Every structure is written in C-alpha cells, then in structure tokens.
Amino acid sequence: MFPCHMRIARPVTDLARSFQLYHDGLGLNKIAEFADHDGFSGIMLGHDSLAWHLEFTVCHSHPVKPQPSTEDLLVLYIPETSEWQASCERMLSAGFVAVESFNPYWDVAGKTFIDTDSYRVVLQNRAWG
C-alpha cells in the first residue's frame, strides 16, 4: 500500500470542549477548522510528526448524538514509562475520566480514558510492533 495520511472523524456535541480536552490531554494542536460549511462546523487536531489527525464535527441542521460503544477505541502506544505516566496525568488534568476497559487486555499495560462524548482513548505503555 502507498503512504497515506489518516483522518479519524467523529461527531461531537461541543467543538470547543472537545478541542480543549484533546489539546490538553494529548497535546494535539489545531491544524484546521471550518465554520458552517453546508451546515457543518469542524476542527482538526494533529501534529506535524503524525501520519493521522482527528476531526471533530457538529451538524447544525441535524445534530448527531455521538454513540460510541465500549470497544470504539483510539489506542496510542507510548513505550517510555515516564512519558506514559505523564501522559496519563495530562489526560486526567484535561478532564478525561479513567475507566476500566471493557476488554481486559487494555488494562494489562495501559489505561483507558473516556471523554465527555463517551469516546475512549487507550494509552498503552508498550511499543507497537
């Protein structure tokens, strides 16, 4: 497969709140935003070093209620223990809530956090691959 950049798009209830959570918790920066484009507003968060970014959207004419399941996960691998611990603390300070994972595998070497729209982020204290 060819190199690509991935966007993970999610509807949210409050753009500003979601931006602040992920900016403060994961250190993601605003890389783009749009307002009232065909009834949608959105914000994209990422970092120059990443091959992916998050997009949060709100539909003004037909609000979409986020309905993630306990297995809809954004999993980030952080192999360095001190950085992983600091990242977990930032998540809590930002307003994420630590929860037990539905799949116990993620609790062995990681922590699961939930945001205000019930999206889950897993920080794994392991390297990928």
Side-chain angles (χ1 to χ4, degrees), residues 16-58:
R17 181 177 61 200
S18 293
F19 165 74
Q20 205 61 56
L21 274 171
Y22 284 80
H23 172 71
D24 294 349
L26 294 176
L28 299 176
N29 299 314
K30 184 188 311 181
I31 58 173
E33 65 182 319
F34 57 93
D36 202 19
H37 180 264
D38 292 331
F40 287 85
S41 293
I43 187 167
M44 286 153 236
L45 294 92
H47 193 275
D48 290 342
S49 66
L50 300 174
W52 58 271
H53 69 269
L54 296 175
E55 176 190 42
F56 297 133
T57 60
V58 169

Side-chain angles (χ1 to χ4, degrees), residues 88-103:
C88 290
E89 289 301 318
R90 280 193 302 275
M91 294 292 278
L92 294 171
S93 294
F96 284 86
V97 175
V99 296
E100 187 175 319
S101 185
F102 178 73
N103 180 338

Side-chain angles (χ1 to χ4, degrees), residues 71-86:
E71 278 295 282
D72 290 318
L73 307 171
L74 174 65
V75 180
L76 302 174
Y77 291 84
I78 305 169
E80 176 58 45
T81 300
S82 61
E83 178 56 34
W84 175 78
Q85 289 171 333

Side-chain angles (χ1 to χ4, degrees), residues 5 42 45 50 66 70 107 110:
H5 185 92
L45 294 92
L50 300 174
T70 56
D107 292 332

